[in-house]
Amino acid sequence: MNRSDALAGATEPSDEAQQWLRAIPAAVYVTDPGWWLGEVRFVADAVADLGGYQAADYLDHPQRWLSAIGETGRLQALERLQAALDAGETRVTLIYTLSHVDGTSCRIADTLNIQRDAEGQVVALVGVLERVASPGAGDNASRALLAHNPDVLLALDADLACRAASGALGAVLGVSAEGLVGRSLFELMAPEDAPRVQRTLDEQAVIAGAALLELRLRHRDGSYRWCEIHFAADCDAVSSVSPGWVAVARDITERRRQALQWDAYDATDELTSALNERAFLGLLRQAVAMGDVHGRLSLIVFEVDGFADIVDRWGREGGDLVLACIGEMCRATLRERFSFGRLDARGFALLLSGKSLQETSAIAERLRARFGATRVEFHGHWLAFSVSLGVAERRQDEPSDTFLARAHSGLELAMTHGGNRVQQAP
């Protein structure tokens, strides 16, 4: 159990409780909801080792603690605390640099247990202060190695809040070490990945083990990066006040893309040169998962009108000839970059990025006209055909299967209204 958990409800420590708190070999304190800006109700003697003043001094003059934190760090800590209070969180870790009265300074991990009443109102904050290593500590050579490391190096608490960071933070996440410290990786993680990560780390924490996980972290530009992260239980932290992790994160986004492209290459339909259904749906899921949250994805789903009649009249060979020209005509007609997939015996799909619904509808109309004007020669005869097309633009946070289903609904409407037309999804 975390020691701050053991202090739950200690909004007004009794004399006996204070004696017990002083016996804990850690800097424990209790305040009202205002933190060090408000009423300080208890401070353990161990606080003197961190700031230089005695506990009684901080109890009478809590501003001494705040004034020892640099202005930027103080504002960041207060903003992070306020965000946690507003969000209904029960625990938050604040990271800041504290100046000692002797002129030295140290990094502090301030883990707060937020006490609330039955109505959810905050009544007290129970804090545990720990000294943590500064990022890049050591000689110049060590700092240079950390700063230029192509991976991201992290020291995390039990809730994956960052205590220290170094390495390729700008390249991988678009943030500085200062911008990441105090934030939890769960804030950056794709929502679908978080339960799996939490479950795995909970299992490893019991045995002070390690785990290698692939997950998505949000870059500052809003897109997601695939990262391979090696989590190892911090043995010192496991026996300390807040269990924690050390982690090494490597950007594997390009590797994932290349693997997906190779898989797609191996899963191409020979007749039409389109991705088969499994490969296209995998690509669609990947595009939705990795897409820029401010970007656009759109789908065109289409079928050959009366394809069964074509096969009845001209045989399977004639039907295959019509299908074979589909991919070639798409590539010849469209200037836009797209991914082309075959969904079933006569259905196809085009995935485009960066296009609005109106732009995608115009592209679909261009395709419809091109197909309608095409004649395919077959044993001295000319085969004519048309297509019906459904168009959809992905909505915010819409999963891939719902996105595809809406495009299909547009196709069904186009076919219901006689075919050879473009219909936007409802």
Side-chain angles (χ1 to χ4, degrees):
M1 177 184 295
N2 189 289
R3 284 174 184 145
S4 58
D5 285 334
L7 304 180
T11 58
E12 297 287 349
S14 64
D15 291 342
E16 182 180 2
Q18 291 188 34
Q19 290 179 1
W20 179 77
L21 290 170
R22 289 190 179 95
I24 296 176
V28 182
Y29 68 97
V30 181
T31 75
D32 69 7
W35 195 47
W36 293 95
L37 288 171
E39 176 190 353
V40 178
R41 299 167 178 171
F42 173 81
V43 182
D45 295 337
V47 74
D49 295 333
L50 300 175
Y53 291 102
Q54 296 301 311
D57 293 328
Y58 289 117
L59 197 61
D60 294 336
H61 307 286
Q63 68 274 13
R64 286 184 173 173
W65 186 265
L66 282 177
S67 63
I69 306 172
E71 181 178 0
T72 300
R74 182 167 65 248
L75 291 175
Q76 290 178 342
L78 289 170
E79 289 176 0
R80 178 71 185 93
L81 174 58
Q82 190 60 52
L85 297 176
D86 294 343
E89 297 179 28
T90 59
R91 182 177 300 165
V92 62
T93 298
L94 310 177
I95 306 292
Y96 48 81
T97 299
L98 184 77
S99 297
H100 195 279
V101 293
D102 64 7
T104 62
S105 62
C106 64
R107 296 282 285 174
I108 297 293
D110 190 342
T111 301
L112 292 162
N113 189 288
I114 302 171
Q115 304 297 311
R116 301 177 185 271
D117 60 20
E119 287 72 38
Q121 298 298 312
V122 179
V123 294
L125 303 175
V126 180
V128 180
L129 302 165
E130 294 181 274
R131 189 191 305 266
V132 296
S134 298
D139 57 23
N140 290 336
S142 298
R143 286 195 293 271
L145 285 172
L146 289 173
H148 296 286
N149 194 301
D151 299 329
V152 173
L153 312 177
L154 302 168
L156 309 167
D157 71 7
D159 298 319
L160 299 193
C162 180
R163 294 176 171 176
S166 188
L169 288 158
V172 177
L173 297 175
V175 298
S176 64
E178 292 74 16
L180 186 60
V181 167
R183 299 178 65 188
S184 172
L185 285 194
F186 285 121
E187 295 178 28
L188 305 179
M189 208 175 294
E192 300 90 342
D193 295 340
R196 170 174 56 90
V197 173
Q198 182 72 72
R199 182 172 60 254
T200 301
L201 294 185
D202 285 346
E203 294 171 353
Q204 293 303 316
V206 176
I207 59 174
L212 182 64
L213 298 172
E214 291 188 3
L215 54 99
R216 291 160 292 172
L217 295 178
R218 190 173 64 253
H219 190 278
R220 186 178 181 180
D221 64 11
S223 65
Y224 280 106
R225 301 292 195 270
W226 274 101
C227 292
E228 180 183 76
I229 306 183
H230 184 271
F231 293 92
D234 185 343
C235 295
D236 292 334
V238 166
S239 60
S240 185
V241 174
S242 297
W245 302 89
V246 291
V248 179
R250 174 166 298 176
D251 188 343
I252 60 168
T253 303
E254 189 59 32
R255 189 179 84 190
R256 293 276 302 206
R257 285 176 175 162
Q258 290 176 353
L260 184 64
Q261 290 169 358
W262 183 256
D263 289 344
Y265 176 80
D266 283 346
T268 300
D269 176 62
E270 293 183 3
L271 179 63
T272 63
S273 297
L275 299 178
N276 65 28
E277 182 180 19
R278 180 188 61 81
F280 182 81
L281 294 181
L283 185 144
L284 176 61
R285 286 191 294 269
Q286 187 81 347
V288 167
M290 297 183 66
D292 187 329
V293 294
H294 302 298
R296 283 172 156 169
L297 288 174
S298 54
L299 273 172
I300 301 173
V301 175
F302 64 95
E303 288 188 6
V304 176
D305 294 325
F307 184 72
D309 295 334
I310 294 175
V311 173
D312 288 343
R313 182 175 181 183
W314 303 105
R316 174 54 59 185
E317 186 180 354
D320 286 349
L321 183 61
V322 169
L323 295 178
C325 75
I326 293 287
E328 181 180 346
M329 292 174 62
C330 286
R331 285 182 284 274
T333 305
L334 302 183
R335 296 182 298 273
E336 295 78 10
R337 185 175 179 181
F338 62 90
S339 297
F340 178 46
R342 185 175 182 182
L343 301 182
D344 52 36
R346 62 180 184 274
F348 297 88
L350 298 171
L351 175 65
L352 302 96
S353 61
K355 301 296 181 184
S356 68
L357 182 61
Q358 290 70 28
E359 290 171 324
T360 305
S361 296
I363 293 169
E365 180 59 34
R366 202 160 76 234
L367 268 179
R368 186 205 63 78
R370 178 63 184 269
F371 286 135
T374 298
R375 300 293 181 268
V376 181
E377 185 179 5
F378 179 67
H379 298 312
H381 299 277
W382 293 98
L383 277 64
F385 66 96
S386 63
V387 296
S388 296
L389 306 98
V391 178
E393 182 183 358
R394 182 180 179 245
R395 295 169 177 165
Q396 186 175 5
D397 298 327
E398 184 176 36
S400 59
D401 54 351
T402 306
F403 180 26
L404 181 60
R406 284 200 306 110
H408 267 296
S409 68
L411 169 61
E412 291 170 1
L413 283 172
M415 297 174 70
T416 300
H417 288 88
N420 193 22
R421 61 185 293 148
V422 175
Q423 180 69 51
Q424 294 182 3

mmCIF file of all heavy atoms in Angstrom, residues 157-193:
data_model
loop_
_atom_site.group_PDB
_atom_site.id
_atom_site.type_symbol
_atom_site.label_atom_id
_atom_site.label_comp_id
_atom_site.label_asym_id
_atom_site.label_seq_id
_atom_site.Cartn_x
_atom_site.Cartn_y
_atom_site.Cartn_z
ATOM 1 N N ASP A 157 6.485 7.265 -12.199
ATOM 2 C CA ASP A 157 5.954 6.757 -10.939
ATOM 3 C C ASP A 157 4.943 5.649 -11.221
ATOM 4 O O ASP A 157 4.776 5.216 -12.370
ATOM 5 C CB ASP A 157 5.366 7.884 -10.083
ATOM 6 C CG ASP A 157 4.058 8.445 -10.632
ATOM 7 O OD1 ASP A 157 3.515 7.883 -11.609
ATOM 8 O OD2 ASP A 157 3.573 9.440 -10.072
ATOM 9 N N ALA A 158 4.244 5.190 -10.182
ATOM 10 C CA ALA A 158 3.329 4.064 -10.346
ATOM 11 C C ALA A 158 2.190 4.361 -11.304
ATOM 12 O O ALA A 158 1.656 3.461 -11.956
ATOM 13 C CB ALA A 158 2.778 3.652 -8.982
ATOM 14 N N ASP A 159 1.805 5.635 -11.414
ATOM 15 C CA ASP A 159 0.722 6.036 -12.309
ATOM 16 C C ASP A 159 1.238 6.473 -13.670
ATOM 17 O O ASP A 159 0.505 7.086 -14.450
ATOM 18 C CB ASP A 159 -0.090 7.172 -11.686
ATOM 19 C CG ASP A 159 -0.747 6.750 -10.376
ATOM 20 O OD1 ASP A 159 -1.255 5.612 -10.329
ATOM 21 O OD2 ASP A 159 -0.748 7.538 -9.422
ATOM 22 N N LEU A 160 2.512 6.155 -13.938
ATOM 23 C CA LEU A 160 3.198 6.511 -15.180
ATOM 24 C C LEU A 160 3.343 8.020 -15.368
ATOM 25 O O LEU A 160 3.536 8.494 -16.492
ATOM 26 C CB LEU A 160 2.509 5.895 -16.408
ATOM 27 C CG LEU A 160 2.444 4.365 -16.463
ATOM 28 C CD1 LEU A 160 2.041 3.916 -17.866
ATOM 29 C CD2 LEU A 160 3.760 3.721 -16.060
ATOM 30 N N ALA A 161 3.267 8.780 -14.270
ATOM 31 C CA ALA A 161 3.592 10.210 -14.341
ATOM 32 C C ALA A 161 5.097 10.335 -14.469
ATOM 33 O O ALA A 161 5.859 9.660 -13.768
ATOM 34 C CB ALA A 161 3.100 10.940 -13.102
ATOM 35 N N CYS A 162 5.536 11.192 -15.369
ATOM 36 C CA CYS A 162 6.964 11.322 -15.673
ATOM 37 C C CYS A 162 7.677 12.125 -14.594
ATOM 38 O O CYS A 162 7.306 13.264 -14.298
ATOM 39 C CB CYS A 162 7.133 11.993 -17.036
ATOM 40 S SG CYS A 162 8.848 12.196 -17.527
ATOM 41 N N ARG A 163 8.730 11.537 -14.019
ATOM 42 C CA ARG A 163 9.549 12.242 -13.033
ATOM 43 C C ARG A 163 10.787 12.852 -13.675
ATOM 44 O O ARG A 163 11.280 13.884 -13.235
ATOM 45 C CB ARG A 163 9.982 11.268 -11.930
ATOM 46 C CG ARG A 163 8.840 10.754 -11.081
ATOM 47 C CD ARG A 163 9.349 9.737 -10.080
ATOM 48 N NE ARG A 163 8.320 9.381 -9.104
ATOM 49 C CZ ARG A 163 8.488 8.464 -8.169
ATOM 50 N NH1 ARG A 163 9.629 7.805 -8.097
ATOM 51 N NH2 ARG A 163 7.525 8.206 -7.324
ATOM 52 N N ALA A 164 11.314 12.203 -14.678
ATOM 53 C CA ALA A 164 12.491 12.704 -15.396
ATOM 54 C C ALA A 164 12.463 12.126 -16.799
ATOM 55 O O ALA A 164 11.931 11.039 -17.029
ATOM 56 C CB ALA A 164 13.772 12.311 -14.660
ATOM 57 N N ALA A 165 13.023 12.877 -17.744
ATOM 58 C CA ALA A 165 13.009 12.432 -19.135
ATOM 59 C C ALA A 165 14.235 12.959 -19.854
ATOM 60 O O ALA A 165 14.754 14.029 -19.539
ATOM 61 C CB ALA A 165 11.736 12.921 -19.838
ATOM 62 N N SER A 166 14.680 12.187 -20.845
ATOM 63 C CA SER A 166 15.810 12.612 -21.657
ATOM 64 C C SER A 166 15.741 11.866 -22.978
ATOM 65 O O SER A 166 14.870 11.032 -23.201
ATOM 66 C CB SER A 166 17.134 12.333 -20.934
ATOM 67 O OG SER A 166 18.221 12.906 -21.636
ATOM 68 N N GLY A 167 16.686 12.183 -23.881
ATOM 69 C CA GLY A 167 16.731 11.513 -25.170
ATOM 70 C C GLY A 167 15.966 12.263 -26.242
ATOM 71 O O GLY A 167 15.825 13.487 -26.193
ATOM 72 N N ALA A 168 15.450 11.518 -27.224
ATOM 73 C CA ALA A 168 14.858 12.104 -28.436
ATOM 74 C C ALA A 168 13.400 12.514 -28.234
ATOM 75 O O ALA A 168 12.516 12.162 -29.014
ATOM 76 C CB ALA A 168 14.978 11.113 -29.588
ATOM 77 N N LEU A 169 13.136 13.290 -27.204
ATOM 78 C CA LEU A 169 11.761 13.693 -26.897
ATOM 79 C C LEU A 169 11.158 14.552 -27.999
ATOM 80 O O LEU A 169 9.998 14.395 -28.359
ATOM 81 C CB LEU A 169 11.736 14.459 -25.576
ATOM 82 C CG LEU A 169 11.965 13.604 -24.326
ATOM 83 C CD1 LEU A 169 12.455 14.478 -23.187
ATOM 84 C CD2 LEU A 169 10.687 12.898 -23.932
ATOM 85 N N GLY A 170 11.961 15.475 -28.543
ATOM 86 C CA GLY A 170 11.448 16.349 -29.595
ATOM 87 C C GLY A 170 11.083 15.586 -30.841
ATOM 88 O O GLY A 170 10.030 15.814 -31.448
ATOM 89 N N ALA A 171 11.944 14.640 -31.251
ATOM 90 C CA ALA A 171 11.694 13.891 -32.477
ATOM 91 C C ALA A 171 10.514 12.936 -32.324
ATOM 92 O O ALA A 171 9.712 12.770 -33.244
ATOM 93 C CB ALA A 171 12.950 13.108 -32.868
ATOM 94 N N VAL A 172 10.384 12.308 -31.177
ATOM 95 C CA VAL A 172 9.362 11.278 -30.999
ATOM 96 C C VAL A 172 8.009 11.874 -30.607
ATOM 97 O O VAL A 172 6.969 11.481 -31.140
ATOM 98 C CB VAL A 172 9.816 10.240 -29.948
ATOM 99 C CG1 VAL A 172 8.730 9.198 -29.708
ATOM 100 C CG2 VAL A 172 11.099 9.561 -30.397
ATOM 101 N N LEU A 173 8.017 12.838 -29.677
ATOM 102 C CA LEU A 173 6.761 13.357 -29.132
ATOM 103 C C LEU A 173 6.560 14.850 -29.355
ATOM 104 O O LEU A 173 5.482 15.373 -29.076
ATOM 105 C CB LEU A 173 6.682 13.064 -27.625
ATOM 106 C CG LEU A 173 6.667 11.574 -27.237
ATOM 107 C CD1 LEU A 173 6.704 11.427 -25.729
ATOM 108 C CD2 LEU A 173 5.446 10.875 -27.817
ATOM 109 N N GLY A 174 7.597 15.535 -29.821
ATOM 110 C CA GLY A 174 7.459 16.962 -30.078
ATOM 111 C C GLY A 174 7.413 17.815 -28.823
ATOM 112 O O GLY A 174 6.899 18.932 -28.849
ATOM 113 N N VAL A 175 7.963 17.305 -27.701
ATOM 114 C CA VAL A 175 7.961 18.054 -26.445
ATOM 115 C C VAL A 175 9.358 18.054 -25.850
ATOM 116 O O VAL A 175 10.213 17.253 -26.225
ATOM 117 C CB VAL A 175 6.965 17.456 -25.420
ATOM 118 C CG1 VAL A 175 5.547 17.515 -25.942
ATOM 119 C CG2 VAL A 175 7.345 16.007 -25.081
ATOM 120 N N SER A 176 9.587 18.947 -24.908
ATOM 121 C CA SER A 176 10.839 18.974 -24.159
ATOM 122 C C SER A 176 10.690 18.149 -22.892
ATOM 123 O O SER A 176 9.581 17.755 -22.523
ATOM 124 C CB SER A 176 11.198 20.418 -23.798
ATOM 125 O OG SER A 176 10.209 20.963 -22.930
ATOM 126 N N ALA A 177 11.819 17.914 -22.207
ATOM 127 C CA ALA A 177 11.754 17.182 -20.941
ATOM 128 C C ALA A 177 10.887 17.936 -19.940
ATOM 129 O O ALA A 177 10.071 17.338 -19.225
ATOM 130 C CB ALA A 177 13.163 16.976 -20.387
ATOM 131 N N GLU A 178 11.028 19.269 -19.918
ATOM 132 C CA GLU A 178 10.241 20.065 -18.982
ATOM 133 C C GLU A 178 8.745 19.967 -19.287
ATOM 134 O O GLU A 178 7.904 20.004 -18.389
ATOM 135 C CB GLU A 178 10.682 21.536 -19.029
ATOM 136 C CG GLU A 178 12.078 21.801 -18.479
ATOM 137 C CD GLU A 178 13.184 21.336 -19.416
ATOM 138 O OE1 GLU A 178 12.889 21.077 -20.624
ATOM 139 O OE2 GLU A 178 14.334 21.199 -18.965
ATOM 140 N N GLY A 179 8.417 19.857 -20.570
ATOM 141 C CA GLY A 179 7.013 19.769 -20.949
ATOM 142 C C GLY A 179 6.391 18.422 -20.643
ATOM 143 O O GLY A 179 5.164 18.308 -20.564
ATOM 144 N N LEU A 180 7.229 17.390 -20.486
ATOM 145 C CA LEU A 180 6.711 16.049 -20.217
ATOM 146 C C LEU A 180 6.673 15.730 -18.729
ATOM 147 O O LEU A 180 5.799 14.987 -18.266
ATOM 148 C CB LEU A 180 7.559 15.011 -20.949
ATOM 149 C CG LEU A 180 7.066 13.563 -20.902
ATOM 150 C CD1 LEU A 180 5.675 13.439 -21.524
ATOM 151 C CD2 LEU A 180 8.046 12.641 -21.626
ATOM 152 N N VAL A 181 7.630 16.257 -17.972
ATOM 153 C CA VAL A 181 7.716 15.961 -16.548
ATOM 154 C C VAL A 181 6.422 16.389 -15.846
ATOM 155 O O VAL A 181 5.909 17.493 -16.057
ATOM 156 C CB VAL A 181 8.937 16.664 -15.917
ATOM 157 C CG1 VAL A 181 8.856 16.625 -14.399
ATOM 158 C CG2 VAL A 181 10.223 16.015 -16.393
ATOM 159 N N GLY A 182 5.898 15.498 -15.035
ATOM 160 C CA GLY A 182 4.658 15.751 -14.319
ATOM 161 C C GLY A 182 3.426 15.239 -15.029
ATOM 162 O O GLY A 182 2.361 15.142 -14.422
ATOM 163 N N ARG A 183 3.548 14.896 -16.319
ATOM 164 C CA ARG A 183 2.408 14.372 -17.074
ATOM 165 C C ARG A 183 2.461 12.847 -17.089
ATOM 166 O O ARG A 183 3.531 12.242 -17.077
ATOM 167 C CB ARG A 183 2.425 14.892 -18.506
ATOM 168 C CG ARG A 183 2.330 16.392 -18.623
ATOM 169 C CD ARG A 183 2.397 16.837 -20.061
ATOM 170 N NE ARG A 183 1.247 16.364 -20.839
ATOM 171 C CZ ARG A 183 1.144 16.492 -22.154
ATOM 172 N NH1 ARG A 183 2.129 17.058 -22.846
ATOM 173 N NH2 ARG A 183 0.077 16.052 -22.789
ATOM 174 N N SER A 184 1.311 12.224 -17.134
ATOM 175 C CA SER A 184 1.250 10.768 -17.186
ATOM 176 C C SER A 184 1.255 10.293 -18.640
ATOM 177 O O SER A 184 0.642 10.928 -19.513
ATOM 178 C CB SER A 184 -0.014 10.256 -16.499
ATOM 179 O OG SER A 184 -0.178 8.864 -16.711
ATOM 180 N N LEU A 185 1.910 9.178 -18.896
ATOM 181 C CA LEU A 185 1.876 8.590 -20.236
ATOM 182 C C LEU A 185 0.454 8.211 -20.629
ATOM 183 O O LEU A 185 0.131 8.158 -21.817
ATOM 184 C CB LEU A 185 2.773 7.350 -20.305
ATOM 185 C CG LEU A 185 4.282 7.556 -20.366
ATOM 186 C CD1 LEU A 185 4.959 6.252 -20.764
ATOM 187 C CD2 LEU A 185 4.674 8.661 -21.325
ATOM 188 N N PHE A 186 -0.398 7.943 -19.648
ATOM 189 C CA PHE A 186 -1.782 7.604 -19.960
ATOM 190 C C PHE A 186 -2.494 8.776 -20.653
ATOM 191 O O PHE A 186 -3.435 8.571 -21.413
ATOM 192 C CB PHE A 186 -2.540 7.200 -18.699
ATOM 193 C CG PHE A 186 -2.179 5.823 -18.194
ATOM 194 C CD1 PHE A 186 -1.657 5.648 -16.922
ATOM 195 C CD2 PHE A 186 -2.353 4.701 -18.994
ATOM 196 C CE1 PHE A 186 -1.320 4.388 -16.456
ATOM 197 C CE2 PHE A 186 -2.011 3.434 -18.538
ATOM 198 C CZ PHE A 186 -1.495 3.275 -17.265
ATOM 199 N N GLU A 187 -2.045 10.011 -20.375
ATOM 200 C CA GLU A 187 -2.633 11.173 -21.051
ATOM 201 C C GLU A 187 -2.297 11.168 -22.538
ATOM 202 O O GLU A 187 -3.078 11.658 -23.360
ATOM 203 C CB GLU A 187 -2.102 12.471 -20.437
ATOM 204 C CG GLU A 187 -2.484 12.710 -18.996
ATOM 205 C CD GLU A 187 -1.869 13.985 -18.473
ATOM 206 O OE1 GLU A 187 -1.626 14.916 -19.271
ATOM 207 O OE2 GLU A 187 -1.606 14.077 -17.263
ATOM 208 N N LEU A 188 -1.129 10.636 -22.892
ATOM 209 C CA LEU A 188 -0.661 10.645 -24.274
ATOM 210 C C LEU A 188 -1.047 9.380 -25.020
ATOM 211 O O LEU A 188 -0.980 9.332 -26.247
ATOM 212 C CB LEU A 188 0.869 10.801 -24.307
ATOM 213 C CG LEU A 188 1.464 12.003 -23.575
ATOM 214 C CD1 LEU A 188 2.987 11.974 -23.685
ATOM 215 C CD2 LEU A 188 0.913 13.299 -24.137
ATOM 216 N N MET A 189 -1.438 8.359 -24.304
ATOM 217 C CA MET A 189 -1.655 7.038 -24.887
ATOM 218 C C MET A 189 -2.978 6.964 -25.641
ATOM 219 O O MET A 189 -3.966 7.588 -25.251
ATOM 220 C CB MET A 189 -1.647 6.005 -23.756
ATOM 221 C CG MET A 189 -1.214 4.618 -24.127
ATOM 222 S SD MET A 189 -1.131 3.581 -22.629
ATOM 223 C CE MET A 189 0.229 4.359 -21.733
ATOM 224 N N ALA A 190 -3.005 6.222 -26.753
ATOM 225 C CA ALA A 190 -4.258 5.969 -27.448
ATOM 226 C C ALA A 190 -5.216 5.263 -26.484
ATOM 227 O O ALA A 190 -4.816 4.316 -25.795
ATOM 228 C CB ALA A 190 -4.015 5.107 -28.678
ATOM 229 N N PRO A 191 -6.474 5.704 -26.393
ATOM 230 C CA PRO A 191 -7.402 5.119 -25.423
ATOM 231 C C PRO A 191 -7.533 3.606 -25.528
ATOM 232 O O PRO A 191 -7.714 2.924 -24.521
ATOM 233 C CB PRO A 191 -8.728 5.816 -25.754
ATOM 234 C CG PRO A 191 -8.334 7.102 -26.395
ATOM 235 C CD PRO A 191 -7.078 6.801 -27.162
ATOM 236 N N GLU A 192 -7.422 3.071 -26.758
ATOM 237 C CA GLU A 192 -7.560 1.620 -26.929
ATOM 238 C C GLU A 192 -6.392 0.861 -26.316
ATOM 239 O O GLU A 192 -6.518 -0.314 -25.972
ATOM 240 C CB GLU A 192 -7.660 1.271 -28.414
ATOM 241 C CG GLU A 192 -8.847 1.907 -29.129
ATOM 242 C CD GLU A 192 -8.517 3.258 -29.713
ATOM 243 O OE1 GLU A 192 -7.504 3.858 -29.299
ATOM 244 O OE2 GLU A 192 -9.253 3.718 -30.588
ATOM 245 N N ASP A 193 -5.222 1.515 -26.180
ATOM 246 C CA ASP A 193 -4.033 0.834 -25.677
ATOM 247 C C ASP A 193 -3.936 0.860 -24.157
ATOM 248 O O ASP A 193 -3.295 -0.005 -23.552
ATOM 249 C CB ASP A 193 -2.768 1.475 -26.256
ATOM 250 C CG ASP A 193 -2.658 1.295 -27.759
ATOM 251 O OD1 ASP A 193 -3.326 0.384 -28.283
ATOM 252 O OD2 ASP A 193 -1.915 2.049 -28.404
#
